[in-house]
Amino acid sequence: MDTYGDLVTLLLCFFVLLYSMSDINAEKYEILVRSFNPSAVEVSQIVIDSDRQPGEDPLVSGEPDEQQMDEFDDLFYTLSKYIEQNNLQDDIEVSKGDGFAFITFHNNIFFDGDSYVLKQEGKDTLDVLAGALNSVTESIKEISVLGHTSQASPDVPNEPVSDRFLSSNRATEVLLYLQQKNFIDPTKLVASGYGQFRPISKFDTAQDRARNRRVEILITKTDDVERSLEEYYAESESIKVETILENQQESTQE
């Protein structure tokens, strides 16, 4: 057991060493080589970044490389902080996947019942969203606003004309408010109304029906591969489940 423990410790130190050299710094590399061969007159095989000055190694400064930062990470962080600061966790859900950001606004934050007149609370939220999107417009392929209603009765479908118009009008109202901010090319803005036909919950209880009444905003990156809405839903839900499990683990550890 002692021998095995020593071996695992040495392997851990070796991988930590490899990780610390993942962004090579010439000064560190030279020190490492000389520690293995103190009698060497000249150190060879040193990789030098001519554009980086001594002391600018990210591992030393602790500052992230701005070019490697994902602009969608900034967008996700801004929206998450806004939701937390305004206690909107029950009204807005935001997730970020591979090449997209997905935001779900429950109906009460944007509209009153059976209305497509945008509330002031909804306008304030869209102002924050537009401000966050303004800095990443070059990376955005498309912003899709998706309007949904819910079946009013568990057993009786909605009247199709009013149902479709209500969901489409709500999506269009949100789109128009964003378009009036003039932060992005209007050709990248799309609105769709799905009525009651894309539920994310059952129609059995009032709480279930409330979840179905929503407006979603799907933001895709310029290099994102075209996918179906169901695929975005599936990936977004899996991300939410992983986040919940991580939070539960953190709470258990605390």
Side-chain angles (χ1 to χ4, degrees):
M1 289 296 293
D2 291 340
T3 304
Y4 177 77
D6 291 340
L7 175 61
V8 172
T9 302
L10 289 172
L11 285 174
L12 174 63
C13 293
F14 177 71
F15 285 117
V16 169
L17 176 64
L18 291 178
Y19 177 76
S20 68
M21 295 170 57
S22 58
D23 192 334
I24 298 175
N25 177 277
E27 295 171 354
K28 288 183 179 180
Y29 190 84
E30 184 173 352
I31 293 172
L32 174 66
V33 174
R34 289 191 183 281
S35 68
F36 288 124
N37 189 9
S39 61
V41 177
E42 181 178 353
V43 177
S44 60
Q45 296 181 345
I46 295 180
V47 179
I48 298 177
D49 186 349
S50 59
D51 295 330
R52 178 175 292 166
Q53 299 300 320
E56 292 183 347
D57 182 22
L59 295 176
V60 176
S61 64
E63 296 294 331
D65 188 341
E66 293 183 0
Q67 293 181 348
Q68 295 179 355
M69 290 181 65
D70 190 339
E71 292 177 329
F72 270 42
D73 289 336
D74 291 337
L75 171 63
F76 179 76
Y77 176 77
T78 299
L79 294 175
S80 298
K81 291 298 291 183
Y82 175 79
I83 293 170
E84 180 181 346
Q85 291 170 358
N86 292 274
N87 296 318
L88 296 172
Q89 293 88 339
D90 295 333
D91 300 319
I92 304 175
E93 299 176 12
V94 57
S95 59
K96 183 179 71 67
D98 183 17
F100 73 93
F102 200 86
I103 313 166
T104 300
F105 300 92
H106 296 291
N107 223 38
N108 58 305
I109 198 169
F110 278 160
F111 306 103
D112 291 323
D114 295 323
S115 170
Y116 58 87
V117 177
L118 196 57
K119 296 164 61 175
Q120 185 59 48
E121 184 182 6
K123 293 179 181 179
D124 294 339
T125 303
L126 290 175
D127 288 340
V128 174
L129 176 61
L133 291 173
N134 188 48
S135 61
V136 298
T137 51
E138 295 300 321
S139 301
I140 293 176
K141 177 180 181 180
E142 187 174 86
I143 299 177
S144 300
V145 184
L146 317 174
H148 302 270
T149 62
S150 182
Q151 190 168 301
S153 171
D155 303 318
V156 182
N158 295 339
E159 194 279 318
V161 175
S162 59
D163 181 63
R164 288 286 190 177
F165 268 112
L166 182 59
S167 64
S168 298
N169 289 343
R170 284 176 169 174
T172 303
E173 282 293 316
V174 173
L175 180 146
L176 288 173
Y177 190 84
L178 291 175
Q179 182 173 332
Q180 289 166 0
K181 295 296 178 180
N182 296 318
F183 68 92
I184 194 169
D185 185 347
T187 60
K188 294 184 177 182
L189 295 171
V190 178
S192 302
Y194 290 95
Q196 62 178 351
F197 300 105
R198 295 292 180 96
I200 56 175
S201 187
K202 297 180 179 179
F203 300 117
D204 296 341
T205 67
Q207 185 177 4
D208 288 335
R209 293 192 290 272
R211 288 197 68 221
N212 292 327
R213 300 185 189 100
R214 68 200 189 278
V215 172
E216 298 165 330
I217 297 182
L218 172 63
I219 307 163
T220 54
K221 297 175 69 173
T222 51
D223 56 352
D224 184 45
V225 178
E226 199 71 34
R227 283 175 276 182
S228 67
L229 185 59
E230 283 74 15
E231 290 175 298
Y232 285 116
Y233 275 147
E235 186 171 343
S236 179
E237 286 301 318
S238 66
I239 293 168
K240 291 175 186 176
V241 170
E242 291 174 2
T243 303
I244 292 172
L245 293 175
E246 290 173 0
N247 292 337
Q248 290 176 342
Q249 291 175 353
E250 291 175 0
S251 300
T252 304
Q253 292 173 357
E254 291 175 356

